[in-house]
Amino acid sequence: MNTWHGRESVDLLTDLIDRELVDPDGLPVGRVDDIELRRRPDGLWEPVAFLTGTAALERRLPRWGRKLINRSAKLTGGPDDTRRIPFEAVTDVNTSVSITRQAAEAAASPAEERIKRKVIGRIPGAGHASQ
Amino acid sequence: MIDLEGPVLVTGTDTGVGKTVVTAALASLLLSRGNSVEVIKIAQTGDENDAAEITRLCGVRARALTAYPDPLAPFSAARRSGLPLLELEDVVEAASDVQSDVVLLEGAGGLLVQLGAGGWTARDLASELGCPAVVVARAGLGTLNHTALTLEALTRRVIEAAVVIGAWPAEPGLAELENLKDLPGPRLGRIPEGAAALEPEEFRRRAPGWFDLSESPDSVLDQVTGEASLLITSSGTALRMKKLMALTLGVFSAIGGFVDLGDIVASGVVGARYGLGLTWAVVLGVIGICVFAEMSGRIAAVSGTPVYGLIRDKLGPGAALVNLIASFAVTLLSLTAQIGGIALVISLASHIPHIVWVIPVGIGLWLVIWRVKFDNMERAFGLSGLTIAVFAVALWWLDPDWGALGQQVASVAPPAGEPLPTYLFYAIVLFAAAMTPYAVFFFSSGGVEEGWKPSDLRTQRLNVMLGFPLGGLLSVGIAAAAATVLLPKGVDVKTLDQVVQPAILAFGAAGLAVALFGFFAATVGAALECGLSCGYAMAQYFGWPWGKRVAPKRGARFHLTVGLCLLVGVLVVQTGVDPIQVTEYSLVFTAVALPLTYLPVLVAANDPDYAGEHVNGRLSNGLGIAVLAVIVIAAAAAIPLMILTRMGA
Amino acid sequence: MRVNELIGAPVYNVDGSPRSYVIDVRTRAEHGTLVVDGLVIGRHHWRMFGYEHRGEHGPILLRWAVGALHRHTRYVSWDDIVLEGDIVQLRRDWEDLPRLPGLNS
C-alpha cells in the first residue's frame, strides 16, 4: 500500500507545514509549525511527529516577527512549550490535517486554557454557543 | 421540525417505548452531521444501565446523574430507598455546562413522571432550558391517545416537539399502518424493531437513515438556511418555496449588507462634488468585490478553508504575518470608523452628542457578538440596511435632471475645473469602499461557520452576483441624491447630517428617520463584521479555535481578540476624533492593503487542494487578473495621491 | 531533526561552491508511512504556491512568473547529499540534477 492518506508523494513544507490541525469535531487545534524527523535503523529518515506552538512558530519568523510574537505570548502567560502530535494520530489529510481526539486533547493550547479560565470563562454565557 | 442544537429532551408516551434506543440513534444521527454530542440520563432506576447501553450502541459519552435501586418512578424510588432527590437547578446546570454541540437528556418513564425534589417533571426541565422535546411513541394500538396527550401537555408549556416511533415492527399490522397515518405531531423518525440488537457499527451506520429532518408541508417556513433539505418531502412545492425564500433572503441581506460607513461617506462626498462622474469607480469596485467574494466563497464551500486559513499556507508564516498585521490594522481602523459612525447616527437621531453613545454602542456590539445567532444577525442587519434605498426613492421624488445625471455617469474624466489627482484620489476611495477585505474575511468565515458544501455554491454565487451589484446601486443612490441636492449648492460634505439632506428634503422627518435607520443598520452590521473579522484573521493565522457556532469557552482567544478590538475602537472614538476622517483614512489604507489579501486567494482558487474540481476557468482567471491589476494600481497610487491632494481637499 | 532546520539551509555543490538553499523536503509513501526521498533545492526560498509538483492550471501569467523565478530549482535525491552540521553538501553536480517536474509546463 504505497499511499499515505491517498498521496504517493508529500512535500513536507508545501503540503503539511502551516496547515491547520483539526480535531474530530472540525475545530482547530493549532497549525503545523514544524515536523520532527527521525532516522530509522536502515538509514532512511522519516517524519514522525507534528510540532505546534508559539515556540516552534517563532523560529521560522524573521527577527522582528520573533520578538513581536514572543512579547505578545508573554502577555498571556506564554510562550508555551511546543506540543507534539505523532503521525499515527492523523486520521485524514486535505487542506487541513485531521487528528484523533486524544491527540487533539493532548495538544490543546495551554494559552487557550488559561484565557478560558481567567477571562472568557468568567463572563456569563460563556458556555453557550450563540442560540 | 425541531432544532437539534444545545439541550434536547428525549421523553416518551410511556415507559418502555424505546427512549434509550432512540437516544442512541439520535446521537448517531448528530455525529453523522458533524456535531459533537453527549447524553445525560437524568435518573436511572432499577437494575438497568441505560447510559452504558447508549455508549455501547453509538459510542457517545453518556452518564446518569443519579441512580435508584428500585424499578419505580424516580420520586417514588428515592422515597423508598432514602437516597436524596435530584434538584431541578442541578440538572439544569448539568445540562448547560457541557462542551458538546448537543446534549440529549433522557428522562425516566413518561413526560409527567416526577423526577426529583418538589415533584418536578421532564416537562419542567424542558421548560426551564427552553429546549425542544423528542417524544418516543409506540407503533401499535393505544399510541394515538398517548401521543396526543403528551403533545398537548408540551404545547401547554410552549415546548416544541417532534415524534419518533420507538420500535417499528418488521411486519406491521393494520393498527400500526393506520396509526402511522394518524399519529399527530411532526414525525422525526422511525426506529426499526430490534435495532438495539444490531452490532454497534451497523447501528451507527444505519441510524441516520431512520430520521427525516425535513419540514412538514404545513409548518411555518422558519428554518430558511436550507439545512438538511435534501430529503424529499411529501410536498415538493413547499421545499422549492423554502429554497426560493432562502435565496431571496440571502440576496437581500447581501444588498443591504454591502453599504457601510465608508460607502455612505464616500458616496456623499463624491456625489456632492462630482455628481455621478465617478460611478465607473463604483462599478470597478463592485466587479472587484464580486470576483474576490466569489472565489473566497467557493474555497470556503469546497475545502472549508476561510481566507485567512489559506493565506498562511500560501505565503508562509513570515509574509503572512506581515499580511496579518496590515490587514488587522486596517480592519481595526475600519471598526473604529464604524463605531464612530454608529454613535454619529444615534446622535443625529437623538440630538445628544455622539461621544456619549460610544461606550453603550461598544457594549451593545459585544453583547450581540456574544449571544446572537450568526445568521439571524447577518440577516437582520442586512435586511434593515435595505432602507438606504430611501435615497433612491428621494431622488426619484425630487425629479432630477435625469439627462444630466446620465451624462455624468458616462463621463470618465473630471469635470472642468476639477484637478485630475483629486478626481483619481476619490476614485480610489470609492473603489476601496466597495472592496473592503473585512467583508471577504467575514463572508468566507461565515460560510465555514454555516457549513457550506459544494452544493451551496450556486446559491452563494447568486447571492454575491445579485446582492453586491444591487448593493452598489444603493451607494450610487446616495451619490445621486447628493448630486441633485448638494452639488448645485456647492456643499462640501464633511458631516453625516449633510449626507442625509436629500432624504429630509423629499420626505421630511419620515425621510430622516428612514435614512438614519438604514445608516444605523449598515454601520452596526459593518462594525460586527469588522470586529469578528479581526478575530477571524488572528485565529486563522495561529490556528486557534474560532467562531460563533461554538461556545465562547471553546474559542477563548478568538473572543478575547474581538473584545479587545472593540475596546480599542471605543477608546479611540472616545478621544473625540472625527469618525468621518477616520473613515477616509481607513479607506486609503484599505486600498493599500488589498493586494496582500487578494493575491493568495486568486492563487488558491486555482489550486485543486482548495477549490477541488471548481478551480478557476479561463473567464474567472481573466477577470481575476484584471481585478488584480486594478488593485495593484490603486494600492500603489493611494498614498501618493492622498499626500498630493491632501486627503482630497 | 526538525524540517525547519533543513529548510533554508545552504546547499554546496560538489566543488564546494554555495549554489542554493533547501526549499522543501520531499517524502514518498511506503507501506502506509512516509519516508524522506530527497530535497527540493533552489536559488530562493520563496513559496512556490504548490506549482512544483502539480503542473497547475493556474493563471498563465502567474505560472510563467513562478516558472521564471524557479528556473534554477532542482531536485536531489537523499542518497546524493551529505548533511554536515547545518549545511547540505551535494554529492552530485548541480548541473546533473533534474529540474523539477511541473514547472516546465
Side-chain angles (χ1 to χ4, degrees):
Chain A
M1 181 185 42
N2 277 345
T3 63
W4 183 76
H5 295 285
R7 290 153 191 248
E8 289 176 356
S9 167
V10 174
D11 286 354
L12 297 180
L13 182 62
T14 313
D15 296 333
L16 290 179
I17 291 184
D18 289 318
R19 299 265 165 133
E20 210 166 55
L21 291 156
V22 291
D23 71 6
D25 299 328
L27 277 186
V29 172
R31 288 216 171 239
V32 179
D33 292 310
D34 210 338
I35 291 177
E36 194 183 293
L37 296 171
R38 192 187 54 193
R39 195 179 181 163
R40 298 201 309 205
D42 61 9
L44 290 172
W45 288 78
E46 58 175 354
V48 290
F50 296 109
L51 300 168
T52 181
T54 331
L57 172 63
E58 272 176 21
R59 263 186 243 194
R60 303 170 58 207
L61 298 173
R63 203 142 40 111
W64 61 267
R66 229 175 293 158
K67 280 208 203 125
L68 178 66
I69 300 285
N70 200 291
R71 296 252 174 82
S72 318
K74 287 211 170 87
L75 286 174
T76 56
D80 297 302
D81 287 333
T82 303
R83 284 108 56 200
R84 196 175 174 278
I85 293 141
F87 259 55
E88 291 83 51
V90 175
T91 58
D92 193 17
V93 178
N94 41 60
T95 49
S96 51
V97 179
S98 305
I99 58 178
T100 62
R101 191 173 296 283
Q102 288 163 306
E105 279 172 19
S109 160
E112 179 80 18
E113 194 57 35
R114 278 194 300 271
I115 292 180
K116 176 170 91 177
R117 259 183 291 123
K118 294 197 183 150
V119 183
I120 300 296
R122 297 233 180 106
I123 305 173
H128 301 279
S130 312
Q131 281 295 332
Chain B
M1 186 51 67
I2 58 174
D3 244 326
L4 292 172
E5 259 185 75
V8 174
L9 175 70
V10 180
T11 184
T13 55
D14 198 355
T15 184
V17 290
K19 287 194 299 299
T20 304
V21 176
V22 170
T23 307
L26 264 176
S28 304
L29 168 73
L30 289 162
L31 286 175
S32 76
R33 287 195 332 178
N35 292 119
S36 54
V37 194
E38 59 186 276
V39 172
I40 295 179
K41 171 84 186 173
I42 299 170
Q44 180 67 58
T45 58
D47 296 320
E48 284 153 12
N49 189 341
D50 292 337
E53 175 70 359
I54 291 171
T55 304
R56 183 187 73 83
L57 282 173
C58 66
V60 154
R61 188 169 97 101
R63 58 192 165 107
L65 291 180
T66 189
Y68 304 108
D70 297 294
L72 301 168
F75 195 80
S76 328
R79 188 178 54 213
R80 254 189 77 89
S81 62
L83 290 166
L85 290 163
L86 274 177
E87 296 284 341
L88 177 56
E89 300 88 67
D90 292 337
V91 183
V92 168
E93 205 187 294
S96 312
D97 192 30
V98 289
Q99 303 279 35
S100 318
D101 297 331
V102 187
V103 55
L104 298 173
L105 304 158
E106 195 194 327
L111 180 69
L112 296 183
V113 164
Q114 293 180 329
L115 296 176
W120 62 269
T121 66
R123 182 174 69 167
D124 295 315
L125 178 62
S127 180
E128 273 298 308
L129 287 170
C131 71
V134 171
V135 177
V136 182
R138 286 210 171 82
L141 219 48
T143 191
L144 295 179
N145 181 40
H146 289 163
T147 309
L149 284 168
T150 309
L151 288 177
E152 192 177 299
L154 288 164
T155 310
R156 197 168 248 260
R157 297 280 285 278
V158 199
I159 298 169
E160 276 191 62
V163 179
V164 174
I165 296 182
W168 181 251
E171 284 171 348
L174 181 64
E176 285 85 3
L177 290 169
E178 290 302 313
N179 286 344
L180 194 61
K181 291 187 216 154
D182 298 326
L183 203 61
R187 189 84 45 77
L188 177 55
R190 216 191 323 160
I191 316 294
E193 209 181 316
L198 289 172
E199 283 298 312
E201 264 183 45
E202 247 233 280
F203 183 91
R204 268 170 252 193
R205 192 179 51 83
R206 289 177 54 183
W210 297 329
F211 294 94
D212 177 358
L213 292 158
S214 51
E215 295 284 349
S216 70
D218 312 315
S219 69
V220 178
L221 300 173
D222 47 16
Q223 265 285 27
V224 283
T225 51
E227 173 195 35
S229 47
L230 298 174
L231 300 170
I232 310 292
T233 57
S234 52
S235 167
T237 325
L239 192 59
R240 280 192 288 279
M241 270 297 295
K242 194 176 89 160
K243 285 204 152 164
L244 186 61
M245 255 206 95
L247 178 64
T248 322
L249 276 178
V251 171
F252 283 134
S253 307
I255 300 175
F258 179 87
V259 177
D260 70 355
L261 186 69
D263 292 294
I264 295 171
V265 170
S267 301
V269 169
V270 168
R273 184 161 176 169
Y274 299 102
L276 289 181
L278 277 171
T279 308
W280 59 268
V282 178
V283 170
L284 274 181
V286 168
I287 294 176
I289 189 83
C290 284
V291 171
F292 196 1
E294 192 277 327
M295 290 194 298
S296 314
R298 197 176 349 131
I299 292 170
V302 173
S303 70
T305 316
V307 168
Y308 244 87
L310 67 91
I311 284 186
R312 183 164 149 181
D313 185 43
K314 285 290 172 203
L315 295 183
L321 184 62
V322 174
N323 191 323
L324 174 68
I325 293 171
S327 308
F328 189 82
V330 171
T331 306
L332 184 54
L333 195 57
S334 296
L335 172 64
T336 308
Q338 310 293 342
I339 291 178
I342 302 171
L344 273 181
V345 172
I346 302 179
S347 79
L348 281 180
S350 65
H351 301 294
I352 298 173
H354 81 278
I355 281 282
V356 170
W357 297 106
V358 181
I359 293 179
V361 164
I363 295 176
L365 287 172
W366 178 77
L367 277 173
V368 170
I369 290 180
W370 192 253
R371 293 303 302 158
V372 176
K373 199 166 172 209
F374 192 93
D375 40 342
N376 288 347
M377 174 184 89
E378 232 197 308
R379 210 141 271 151
F381 290 106
L383 289 175
S384 309
L386 280 176
T387 54
I388 291 182
V390 70
F391 284 91
V393 178
L395 176 71
W396 169 80
W397 185 269
L398 293 169
D399 196 25
D401 180 355
W402 293 105
L405 281 177
Q407 268 189 336
Q408 288 170 355
V409 171
S411 78
V412 285
E418 286 283 356
L420 182 63
T422 323
Y423 180 76
L424 290 175
F425 172 73
Y426 280 113
I428 292 179
V429 164
L430 274 178
F431 178 74
M435 276 211 76
T436 45
Y438 75 75
V440 177
F441 294 156
F442 183 78
F443 180 69
S444 72
S445 301
V448 172
E449 290 241 48
E450 295 184 8
W452 289 352
K453 295 276 172 292
S455 52
D456 293 307
L457 274 178
R458 230 169 29 125
T459 322
Q460 290 315 319
R461 237 173 230 158
L462 270 171
N463 278 357
V464 166
M465 300 306 184
L466 283 181
F468 290 167
L470 290 176
L473 273 182
L474 287 180
S475 304
V476 173
I478 298 178
T484 308
V485 174
L486 304 175
L487 178 59
K489 297 188 198 162
V491 174
D492 186 12
V493 171
K494 287 256 181 293
T495 60
L496 213 52
D497 55 302
Q498 288 166 320
V499 180
V500 174
Q501 287 299 326
I504 301 177
L505 202 63
F507 303 122
L512 175 65
V514 174
L516 287 181
F517 178 71
F519 283 0
F520 181 76
T523 43
V524 171
L528 292 168
E529 285 191 20
C530 284
L532 284 168
S533 295
C534 285
Y536 291 142
M538 215 36 114
Q540 288 159 17
Y541 172 86
F542 286 106
W544 302 340
W546 56 269
K548 283 171 61 59
R549 74 213 139 125
V550 293
K553 270 199 315 201
R554 288 191 92 178
R557 285 172 294 181
F558 167 74
H559 276 274
L560 181 66
T561 305
V562 174
L564 284 177
C565 288
L566 282 174
L567 183 64
V568 169
V570 163
L571 289 176
V572 172
V573 180
Q574 269 299 168
T575 62
V577 66
D578 178 14
I580 307 281
Q581 280 218 319
V582 176
T583 307
E584 293 180 354
Y585 277 104
S586 82
L587 288 172
V588 173
F589 289 113
T590 296
V592 176
L594 260 175
L596 294 175
T597 0
Y598 180 81
L599 183 57
V601 172
L602 176 60
V603 172
N606 280 286
D607 184 342
D609 260 0
Y610 284 105
E613 40 179 42
H614 299 276
V615 286
N616 274 5
R618 287 238 181 87
L619 176 63
S620 308
N621 272 332
L623 269 176
I625 299 236
V627 170
L628 177 65
V630 177
I631 286 179
V632 169
I633 295 171
I639 295 193
L641 279 176
M642 173 181 87
I643 297 174
L644 186 65
T645 65
R646 263 166 302 160
M647 208 67 177
Chain C
M1 180 169 58
R2 295 187 178 192
V3 169
N4 280 302
E5 289 167 22
L6 279 173
I7 307 281
V11 177
Y12 284 74
N13 202 1
V14 261
D15 58 12
S17 59
R19 290 299 293 244
S20 53
Y21 301 92
V22 177
I23 293 181
D24 208 341
V25 175
R26 179 161 290 182
T27 61
R28 61 173 188 274
E30 217 174 66
H31 309 302
T33 60
L34 289 175
V35 148
V36 174
D37 190 82
L39 297 177
V40 178
I41 56 182
R43 283 274 161 81
H44 313 278
H45 42 120
W46 295 343
R47 292 271 178 134
M48 287 191 274
F49 292 122
Y51 284 149
E52 86 290 0
H53 62 95
R54 259 191 293 270
E56 222 84 340
H57 311 289
I60 297 186
L61 267 175
L62 273 175
R63 259 167 53 215
W64 173 84
V66 170
L69 279 172
H70 285 281
R71 62 189 178 280
H72 296 297
T73 302
R74 303 274 188 274
Y75 184 69
V76 59
S77 156
W78 194 256
D79 300 323
D80 289 332
I81 61 149
V82 172
L83 281 179
E84 289 170 7
D86 41 0
I87 288 175
V88 175
Q89 175 66 52
L90 291 179
R91 287 214 291 219
R92 208 173 137 193
D93 195 274
W94 172 267
E95 303 300 326
D96 294 336
L97 293 175
R99 281 202 60 179
L100 216 47
L103 274 183
N104 297 343
S105 47

